[in-house]
């Protein structure tokens, strides 16, 4: 799973950082000419110490943009999405983000919607075969994807697209499964031919290179020997979108896909015509439901059948939900039976047979290149955090914090412990409610655990994204976020590199300016192993410069529970020193869900924010 390492490192390039730390006031970048109304600044319900220097900040009303202007950005029918019943002021200076307009693509179905001029949208995600079983190792079978689109004009956009799959294909006997890899990448173009009140028509094309390799014969090549090929592939589509109502769009996309007829002497997918149909239903300004089907017509096919190594045609389907966290970032979750995520590989059935159920997750980030997109749907600048709130931006000892860094802020953590444990973590605030993370870990006593407990004994490197949905400092009842991580071994095991998928749901409630409790359901998954626990923690401020931390995580599958306790020294809100004891073998991911066979680990960590 070396691709997890590549993607985790690539997470940190997503934005253009400006260095500041949460302990400094956040300066609003909105236009001075914007209509504002002076109101008392919202204060954290628990921040009452003298170091709380919150003052007053302008409340910028959410824009009520005229239909003519919204039409230029994509579609006047979606004006209703931008209204807010509690808003009285008008601020036309705030430009709508592409995430606040109808989607330009539904997984593998192009729509006739376009990015506005100057907009740049980055997407990254993966497709995961469900369920995993004993025939696959590590995190199972995934296709990873990356897309970047740029609106040159309101009617013309260009982009880069790519995906990668390298795993042992699913088969009844694990030792007999062939290794198979594809890497596709290239450019795509899209031009809007027609845009009327109810109809939009475009033309989209993609040109890619497809790298194909295997350690044995997969297609009808003979003899069955390893092979590696690089072939050009492409697609040409004519997306048509009908705007049935302000919140419903219907899509019809005929096209043709070009693959080689032969690969390594065996039959391949060839050229086939395809018809895609689907719909998008915007149920609120945050939620968009969608579904589509793809029908291959031939003469080639879109599905490889393992039994007789033939190429056939199968219907592809996708159903999902698109959630916009704020105008700059959103997430898409969907189910499908397709193989890839580019305009070409997305129209293939999963290899082999096209019968597997896959779960897809795609994160979308709109890069602000001076457009001045709103930081949140209310367009209220983030408050200056109190001293106590800034110290709660740090993770616990084995539990993640529910808070996220401010845009452009960094946080570093490095630590050492007994029994050979060590850790390093880097976090970056991507938007006001999201952050990216990179981690490197060596678990304690890892050579004493079986392959059923951990994915491997070596150094682990991973990347994660955290999205915050509720914030107690903004008046919500609790602070709640979700964290998703992909973690890879760095050493080969049985001819491959294993990995782990890790998910955590941090929930934090502050009783007062001294006491905060956390409840963190979390789970780690690799191969047939499922390790799930519910972390419970307390952070007690003894003084401004000293905190007590206690954490306990019962493991639900009957394994030993993990615990951690320690003191955090805080010379300032941007620097901390942890001294702790724990029976967990690591401070992140799967390491927090495995207990030492015997004894206790002691260690320290340094935390620094800039």
């Amino acid at each position: 799973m070396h691709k997890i390492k590549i993607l985790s490192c690539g997470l940190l390039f997503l934005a253009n950082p400006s260095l500041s730390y949460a302990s400094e006031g956040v300066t609003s970048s909105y236009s001075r000419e914007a209509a504002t109304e002076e109101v008392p600044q919202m204060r954290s319900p628990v921040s009452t110490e003298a170091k709380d220097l919150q003052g007053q900040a302008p409340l910028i009303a959410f824009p009520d943009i005229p239909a003519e202007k919204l039409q230029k950005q994509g579609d006047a029918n979606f004006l209703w999405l931008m209204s807010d019943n509690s808003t009285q002021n008008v601020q036309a200076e705030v430009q709508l983000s592409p995430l606040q307009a109808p989607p330009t693509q539904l997984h593998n179905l192009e729509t006739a919607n376009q990015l506005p001029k100057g907009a740049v949208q980055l997407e990254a995600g993966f497709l995961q075969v469900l369920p995993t079983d004993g025939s696959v190792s590590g995190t199972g079978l995934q296709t990873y994807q990356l897309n970047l689109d740029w609106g040159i004009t309101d009617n013309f956009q260009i982009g880069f697209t790519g995906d990668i799959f390298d795993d042992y294909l699913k088969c009844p006997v694990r030792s007999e499964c062939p290794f198979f890899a594809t890497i596709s990448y290239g450019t795509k173009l899209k031009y809007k031919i027609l845009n009327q009140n109810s109809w939009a028509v475009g033309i989209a094309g993609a040109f890619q290179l497809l790298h194909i390799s295997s350690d044995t014969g997969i297609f009808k090549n003979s003899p069955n020997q390893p092979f590696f090929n690089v072939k050009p592939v492409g697609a040409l589509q004519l997306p048509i979108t009908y705007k049935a109502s302000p919140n419903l769009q219907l899509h019809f996309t005929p096209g043709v896909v070009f693959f080689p007829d032969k690969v390594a002497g065996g039959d391949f997918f060839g050229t086939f015509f395809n018809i895609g149909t689907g719909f998008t239903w915007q149920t609120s300004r945050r939620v968009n439901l969608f579904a589509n089907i793809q029908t291959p017509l031939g003469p080639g096919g879109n599905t490889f059948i393992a039994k007789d190594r033939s190429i056939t045609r199968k219907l592809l389907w996708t159903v999902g939900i698109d959630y916009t966290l704020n105008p700059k970032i959103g997430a898409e979750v969907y189910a499908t039976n397709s193989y890839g995520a580019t305009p070409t590989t997305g129209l293939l059935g999963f290899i082999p047979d096209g019968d597997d159920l896959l779960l897809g997750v795609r994160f979308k980030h709109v890069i602000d290149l001076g457009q001045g997109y709103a930081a949140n749907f209310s367009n209220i600048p983030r408050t200056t955090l109190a001293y106590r709130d800034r110290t709660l931006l740090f993770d616990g000892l084995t539990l993640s914090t529910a808070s996220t860094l401010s845009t452009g802020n960094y946080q570093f953590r490095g630590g050492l412990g007994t029994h050979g444990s060590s850790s390093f973590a880097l976090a970056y605030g991507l938007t006001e409610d999201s952050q990216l993370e990179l981690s490197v870990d060596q678990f304690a006593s890892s050579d004493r655990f079986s392959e059923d407990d951990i994915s491997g004994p070596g150094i682990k490197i991973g990347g994660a994204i955290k999205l915050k949905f509720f914030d107690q400092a903004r008046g919500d009842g609790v602070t709640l976020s979700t964290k998703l991580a992909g973690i890879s071994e760095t050493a080969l095991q049985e001819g491959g590199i294993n990995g782990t998928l890790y998910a955590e749901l941090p929930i934090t409630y502050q009783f007062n300016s001294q006491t905060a409790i956390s409840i963190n359901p979390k789970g780690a998954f690799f191969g047939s192993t499922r390790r799930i626990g519910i972390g419970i923690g307390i952070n007690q401020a003894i003084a401004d410069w000293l905190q007590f931390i206690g954490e306990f995580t019962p493991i639900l599958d009957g394994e030993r529970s993990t615990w951690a306790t320690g003191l955090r020294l805080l010379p300032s809100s941007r620097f901390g020193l942890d001294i702790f004891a724990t029976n967990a073998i690591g401070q992140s991911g799967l390491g927090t869900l495995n207990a030492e066979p015997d004894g206790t680990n002691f260690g320290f960590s340094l935390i620094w924010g800039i």
Side-chain angles (χ1 to χ4, degrees), residues 147-208:
N147 284 283
L148 179 66
D149 292 300
W150 177 26
I152 303 298
T153 70
D154 289 335
N155 295 321
F156 178 60
Q157 72 182 52
I158 64 173
F160 168 84
T161 182
D163 61 18
I164 177 174
F165 175 95
D166 65 336
D167 263 312
Y168 288 91
L169 293 179
K170 196 172 183 180
C171 64
V173 181
R174 173 70 178 88
S175 60
E176 298 177 1
C177 298
F179 179 81
F180 182 67
T182 62
I183 302 174
S184 69
Y185 56 90
T187 186
K188 54 182 180 176
L189 307 172
K190 192 174 181 182
Y191 182 76
K192 183 179 290 184
I193 301 173
L194 176 68
N195 186 26
Q196 297 181 344
N197 289 335
S198 298
W199 291 93
V201 180
I203 184 169
F207 176 80
Q208 300 170 232

Side-chain angles (χ1 to χ4, degrees), residues 574-605:
R574 69 175 64 190
F575 184 79
L577 169 63
D578 292 343
I579 301 173
F580 61 87
T582 180
N583 73 335
I585 63 174
Q587 284 193 270
S588 65
L590 184 60
T592 67
L593 293 166
N594 276 286
E596 271 281 355
D598 51 69
T600 299
N601 290 323
F602 298 92
F604 72 92
S605 294

